[in-house]
Amino acid sequence: MESQSNRSRRRLVGQPLLYAISVFASLGVFLFGYDQGVMSGVITGPHFIKFFQNPTALEVGTMVAVLEIGAFVTSVAAGRVGDIIGRRGTLFIGAVVFAIGGAIQTFTTGFWVMVVGRIIAGCGVGLLSTIVPIYQSEISPPEHRGALACMEFTVNIFGYASSVWLDYFCSFFDSDLAWRVPLSAQCGIGIFLAVGSLAIPESPRWLLDTDRDEEGMRVIADLHGGDPDDVIAKAEFAEIKERIMIERESGEGRTYAVMWKRYKKRVLLAMSSQAFAQLNGINVISYYAPRVFEEAGWVGRDAILMTGINAIIYILSTIPPWYLVDRWGRRIILLSGAVVMGIALAATGWWMYIDVPETPKAVVTCVIIYNAAFGYSWGPLPWLYPPEIMPLTVRAKGVSISTATNWAFNFLVGEMTPILQEVIQWRLYPMHGFFCACSFVVVYFLYPETKGVPLEEMDAVFGEEELEERLEDEESERSSLVSRRSRRSRSSISRMPLNKPQTSESAGFFGRLFGGSSDRREYQPIRGDE
């Protein structure tokens, strides 16, 4: 007993471990956000323009958007890689590749070297942007899974804001350091993430899926406080392992073809969430905000300053979903965000069209409102939704497809925006407002609510009766331990009260801060309590 206590003191367990993993894994999306924002301020700098000999709109679009080519390729491959070497190993490789790409960009000698560096960095981003949401969803308790994913997105936007403000401060350098220094910061963060990824635990669901049960049980026990004899930890182990065995016994393959045939609706919903996140116009702002503000009348460094102010509001807007996503649910946040974003984009185009003295300030206001609405809704939720709705057997592959969709549309928007800004001008913004309206319709009619649903029970949300019946047949063979675990794990979504009220102390920080609603009418557990 004393030895076990000493071991617990030497390592993080319970909620401190969960928080530490979440914060550290979020560095992966910090890098993603940083790389999205760093080019926005760099491409308008006089030293950058001079070094690259007054690049055309096509060349600027290529340097910005070519990152998505690398990200697209590796996000497709990440599903396979994540299943073979695990979530932690994929995180390590992604961080190393990203650092190498950042180094090439920093010491670039010309346009084509910059393009190569951006593609390589994109390969790292593709791995990180696929594996971090999967890893986060697999270690998070269902009642706080949404909040943790939204916090992760806040770190992503903090990375974006950090790059914008670094661009602004470095713009005072009267040399090529004005753009080389912001690009070099990618290397240090990537190396730190690579080294630190070796210290975090592997996903327990991946360990159990690869029959490394002892290691998986150890991680589950650590997440529950460090006691390997903890009743709840053992029950969670049993429930996850049982689900894995049921899926194996079904005889289903784990290929992309089987995933598409068996879970087509889920795959399409996951892909649509990421596609609309881009079509709704965010990267018109993220990649080209200084150019947007220059169009509206702000000049030079002032355009970067406006971008920095916008980025601060953007960060703040990502905080309300921490509290709301597990109370209101996913649907209402996506729907309300689409409405506000569409109105803001239409207003942006209108102010540019009339071109009056008030236009510069009005455009800044509209862009800030748009960014705030996106940060509250279509920013975090498309990264939360796909790993939630995909089953464990094909989760990595399903999320890789949805993330690849993100990067495909990301590239499309990034490549075309400079050209469309010149060709259709103010009409660009109402065009993206139209896509916001489309996203509202799709969510309203097709997206099921997933708040509070354990990952192992997502089939009930999609009405897959065959699997429900199979699980019900297995119920009679389940041990009383698993039955007790089922009641406890679903206490936040069940109509039955808890056997033991959860106190503020036992709920921990997230329980006290977010306290989710006890009303879970959108979903009822597959198996009722005995």
Side-chain angles (χ1 to χ4, degrees):
M1 185 69 68
E2 182 180 352
S3 174
Q4 179 182 311
S5 176
N6 290 336
R7 284 197 303 272
S8 296
R9 283 197 293 267
R10 286 198 298 269
R11 71 182 194 278
L12 290 176
V13 295
Q15 289 195 341
L17 174 63
L18 178 62
Y19 305 155
I21 291 173
S22 298
V23 169
F24 186 79
S26 294
L27 280 177
V29 291
F30 177 94
L31 285 176
F32 166 28
Y34 185 94
D35 209 68
Q36 281 190 303
V38 71
M39 292 297 285
S40 68
V42 161
I43 59 178
T44 60
H47 294 287
F48 181 90
I49 294 172
K50 180 180 178 181
F51 182 86
F52 288 97
Q53 302 175 350
N54 295 308
T56 65
L58 179 61
E59 288 174 327
V60 170
T62 299
M63 280 190 284
V64 171
V66 76
L67 175 135
E68 276 74 54
I69 293 178
F72 175 82
V73 172
T74 53
S75 61
V76 172
R80 180 70 173 158
V81 174
D83 283 341
I84 294 174
I85 67 173
R87 304 352 183 184
R88 187 175 63 172
T90 308
L91 187 65
F92 173 80
I93 294 174
V96 170
V97 172
F98 183 90
I100 293 172
I104 294 173
Q105 292 174 63
T106 301
F107 299 106
T108 182
T109 57
F111 173 78
W112 289 109
V113 176
M114 174 65 84
V115 168
V116 170
R118 293 284 289 171
I119 291 175
I120 292 175
C123 291
V125 168
L127 291 172
L128 293 173
S129 61
T130 301
I131 213 65
V132 169
I134 295 173
Y135 181 74
Q136 183 73 73
S137 71
E138 291 185 345
I139 61 112
S140 301
E143 64 270 20
H144 300 314
R145 189 172 61 236
L148 289 168
C150 290
M151 288 181 178
E152 186 179 283
F153 183 75
T154 299
V155 177
N156 175 283
I157 304 309
F158 180 68
Y160 167 75
S162 298
S163 69
V164 170
W165 280 103
L166 186 58
D167 283 345
Y168 176 73
F169 289 122
C170 289
S171 69
F172 290 94
F173 293 153
D174 191 20
S175 69
D176 284 346
L177 290 177
W179 57 272
R180 291 190 188 271
V181 168
L183 292 175
S184 69
Q186 303 169 93
C187 308
I189 304 169
I191 292 171
F192 179 75
L193 178 62
V195 173
S197 66
L198 302 176
I200 62 176
E202 181 56 85
S203 161
R205 284 177 168 84
W206 180 82
L207 290 170
L208 268 60
D209 195 31
T210 54
D211 294 324
R212 294 162 63 175
D213 293 359
E214 185 177 344
E215 295 176 62
M217 181 61 210
R218 188 184 310 126
V219 175
I220 292 172
D222 284 347
L223 289 170
H224 282 276
D227 181 6
D229 296 321
D230 180 78
V231 172
I232 305 303
K234 284 186 173 182
E236 182 170 333
F237 170 90
E239 189 164 16
I240 295 172
K241 192 65 180 179
E242 180 196 39
R243 180 54 182 267
I244 290 170
M245 298 309 296
I246 289 173
E247 289 173 342
R248 286 183 187 176
E249 290 167 5
S250 71
E252 289 181 355
R254 306 182 71 157
T255 64
Y256 283 98
V258 170
M259 176 186 70
W260 178 256
K261 181 179 178 181
R262 178 72 173 83
Y263 302 106
K264 182 186 296 184
K265 180 179 179 180
R266 301 197 206 189
V267 174
L268 288 175
L269 290 180
M271 292 172 67
S272 70
S273 69
Q274 290 285 17
F276 278 122
Q278 301 308 314
L279 291 174
N280 286 353
I282 184 56
N283 279 332
V284 175
I285 308 301
S286 295
Y287 285 158
Y288 300 108
R291 289 173 67 109
V292 173
F293 292 135
E294 283 182 345
E295 274 189 284
W298 299 91
V299 180
R301 188 175 292 124
D302 287 342
I304 302 177
L305 178 61
M306 291 300 103
T307 305
I309 293 172
N310 173 59
I312 292 175
I313 305 298
Y314 196 3
I315 292 175
L316 295 177
S317 74
T318 66
I319 295 176
W322 297 10
Y323 179 81
L324 298 176
V325 71
D326 289 316
R327 284 177 171 264
W328 288 7
R330 287 48 163 158
R331 282 171 49 85
I332 187 62
I333 292 177
L334 289 172
L335 292 170
S336 57
V339 171
V340 177
M341 289 159 56
I343 294 173
L345 286 169
T348 300
W350 185 77
W351 281 106
M352 287 186 173
Y353 170 68
I354 62 175
D355 193 19
V356 294
E358 294 81 10
T359 290
K361 292 182 180 179
V363 167
V364 169
T365 301
C366 290
V367 168
I368 287 176
I369 292 172
Y370 167 83
N371 254 151
F374 182 87
Y376 142 85
S377 59
W378 283 91
L381 266 62
W383 296 103
L384 163 65
Y385 204 68
E388 276 192 328
I389 65 177
M390 297 305 301
L392 177 61
T393 50
V394 292
R395 181 170 297 135
K397 291 182 175 66
V399 174
S400 75
I401 291 295
S402 69
T403 305
T405 303
N406 171 282
W407 293 116
F409 282 89
N410 208 316
F411 173 79
L412 178 65
V413 174
E415 184 72 24
M416 293 303 297
T417 292
I419 299 170
L420 292 176
Q421 283 175 326
E422 292 182 359
V423 176
I424 65 174
Q425 301 175 346
W426 62 269
R427 299 171 186 85
L428 173 65
Y429 307 98
M431 181 188 79
H432 285 292
F434 168 75
F435 287 118
C436 291
C438 294
S439 68
F440 180 95
V441 173
V442 171
V443 171
Y444 185 83
F445 287 104
L446 298 177
Y447 278 44
E449 185 55 71
T450 59
K451 69 172 180 178
V453 183
L455 296 180
E456 280 68 43
E457 295 192 2
M458 202 60 67
D459 297 301
V461 174
F462 289 87
E464 295 175 0
E465 301 297 335
E466 180 181 349
L467 185 53
E468 287 187 39
E469 291 173 4
R470 189 188 312 145
L471 288 173
E472 286 171 359
D473 291 339
E474 292 290 328
E475 180 67 22
S476 60
E477 299 175 12
R478 293 170 66 90
S479 66
S480 59
L481 180 65
V482 174
S483 180
R484 191 182 314 165
R485 162 66 178 88
S486 297
R487 289 194 295 271
R488 181 100 172 237
S489 70
R490 292 181 220 112
S491 59
S492 63
I493 58 176
S494 177
R495 292 168 293 180
M496 300 289 289
L498 280 170
N499 293 333
K500 178 181 178 181
Q502 190 179 50
T503 65
S504 174
E505 181 180 357
S506 65
F509 172 73
F510 283 106
R512 294 193 299 272
L513 179 59
F514 304 113
S517 169
S518 61
D519 182 10
R520 291 290 186 265
R521 282 176 222 151
E522 301 87 344
Y523 163 78
Q524 296 299 337
I526 296 173
R527 300 171 294 275
D529 290 338
E530 295 292 316

